[in-house]
Amino acid sequence: MNASSPSPAQNQATTTSLYGGVTNRRVTVRDLAAAKQRGEKWSMLTAYDALTAGVFDEAGTPVLLVGDSAGNCHLGYETTVPVTMDQMVMLSAAVVRGTKRAMIVADLPFGSYQESPAQAMHNAARLMKEAGVGAVKLEGGERSARSIELLVEAGIPVMAHIGLTPQSVHAYGGYPVQGRGDEAAHQLLRDAKAVQQSGAFAVVLEAVPAELAAQVTEQLMIPTVGIGGGPDTDAQVLVWTDMAGMTAGRVPKFVKQYADLRAVLGDAARAFAEDVRGGAFPAEEHSFH
Ligand code: KIV
């Protein structure tokens, strides 16, 4: 075995659960393919910083996505459109530093790959080299097929994203469900097959009817990752701020909220302020002499 050949541990896809089966290395595309083979469903969460990513990594989440949803969920923009490559590199590098075991996938933001496959290659290489991610994600089915092919040929694992593609929010005029009606459903199937054919290792299906997502999942060899795609995809992804109750206001119908962190943090901040106002903090045990 030379320095560049994979070790037996790296070579071996997990045959047990993604949660318990890989502890001494990062999850790989081979592990995800093996999970599909044995019918194991898995979860993916977004992450935008080292601390939060570390929590999810320790909890066993096998794949973390540095989504360009950082735009509206972390950086204070209204949409994902303004997010830049420099921002994605910075956030992705933090997530990589904060984790040991999860596969880290980073989004190529709007305007960083649509121009040409060469542009996609240049920016995907930045995410791999400067941030150290294990894979990139980009939006689009047939329209992104040539770029996916080039990246995969160059050794970059690509997760595709079809159905509702949030970078097109201005063209849609909102975030409408996709794939309704025969023609749209056929297009979604064509998109799914095109990204698989181009070498994508997985595909996100966003905001599509559950029956259609099930049909795509059945017809593809690669894992499907649903968000608003019903219960039958191979994996499910949620934006962490939605999942943990940090998002202010309404969340999409497909979100399940597993905690109420916004209330917890608000209560903590109010209790701190009260202690300071009343002189209860700092107490003797918090003081130096
Ligand atoms: O940017 C993001 O968080 C995403 C998920 C919604 C899949 O693309």
Side-chain angles (χ1 to χ4, degrees):
M1 189 175 80
N2 64 37
S4 61
S5 25
S7 68
Q10 284 168 328
N11 225 348
Q12 195 181 15
T14 41
T15 50
T16 55
S17 162
L18 279 175
Y19 283 86
V22 183
T23 53
N24 57 348
R25 59 170 174 80
R26 287 202 186 260
V27 172
T28 69
V29 294
R30 290 161 57 99
D31 297 316
L32 302 181
K36 173 138 185 162
Q37 286 287 312
R38 63 177 180 267
E40 181 191 345
K41 288 176 179 262
W42 45 275
S43 65
M44 175 164 98
L45 279 171
T46 64
Y48 316 113
D49 69 90
L51 227 66
T52 318
V55 172
F56 300 152
D57 197 43
E58 279 175 27
T61 310
V63 186
L64 294 177
L65 170 67
V66 189
D68 60 355
S69 52
N72 36 321
C73 301
H74 186 73
L75 296 171
Y77 299 122
E78 273 188 23
T79 70
T80 64
V81 171
V83 177
T84 67
M85 267 307 296
D86 286 347
Q87 288 167 334
M88 287 306 300
V89 168
M90 189 194 71
L91 301 177
S92 303
V95 168
V96 170
R97 283 194 296 271
T99 54
K100 291 191 172 72
R101 178 183 170 274
M103 172 194 285
I104 310 300
V105 182
D107 256 335
L108 282 164
F110 178 68
S112 72
Y113 62 95
Q114 289 91 344
E115 216 171 289
S116 64
Q119 188 202 23
M121 179 64 217
H122 173 81
N123 285 317
R126 279 197 66 192
L127 288 165
M128 304 289 288
K129 287 160 74 98
E130 295 175 40
V133 302
V136 301
K137 177 166 84 56
L138 52 77
E139 294 184 2
E142 286 182 324
R143 70 181 153 99
S144 295
R146 282 196 310 122
S147 294
I148 296 172
E149 230 166 69
L150 183 65
L151 302 193
V152 172
E153 269 170 30
I156 301 176
V158 177
M159 179 179 281
H161 183 156
I162 62 174
L164 193 156
T165 49
Q167 292 174 10
S168 305
V169 56
H170 296 301
Y172 294 135
Y175 297 97
V177 173
Q178 300 294 300
R180 282 191 170 139
D182 282 355
E183 181 41 42
H186 285 133
Q187 182 58 52
L188 191 89
L189 274 164
R190 280 198 296 275
D191 284 336
K193 286 180 180 164
V195 300
Q196 172 173 275
Q197 177 69 27
S198 301
F201 73 88
V203 57
V204 170
L205 305 178
E206 179 162 353
V208 297
E211 302 71 22
L212 179 58
Q215 204 184 337
V216 171
T217 302
E218 225 227 328
Q219 292 192 20
L220 291 193
M221 307 286 292
I222 60 173
T224 56
V225 186
I227 176 160
D232 293 322
T233 51
D234 298 301
Q236 296 286 336
V237 55
L238 283 176
V239 167
W240 91 259
T241 46
D242 292 343
M243 181 279 301
M246 274 292 283
T247 306
R250 274 190 65 223
V251 291
K253 175 184 163 75
F254 54 72
V255 170
K256 179 170 175 183
Q257 196 179 307
Y258 288 86
D260 196 357
L261 278 198
R262 205 176 170 82
V264 170
L265 284 180
D267 286 349
R270 276 184 288 275
F272 173 50
E274 196 49 46
D275 276 3
V276 171
R277 265 199 300 272
F281 178 85
E284 181 57 25
E285 70 261 33
H286 308 118
S287 305
F288 298 109
H289 294 289

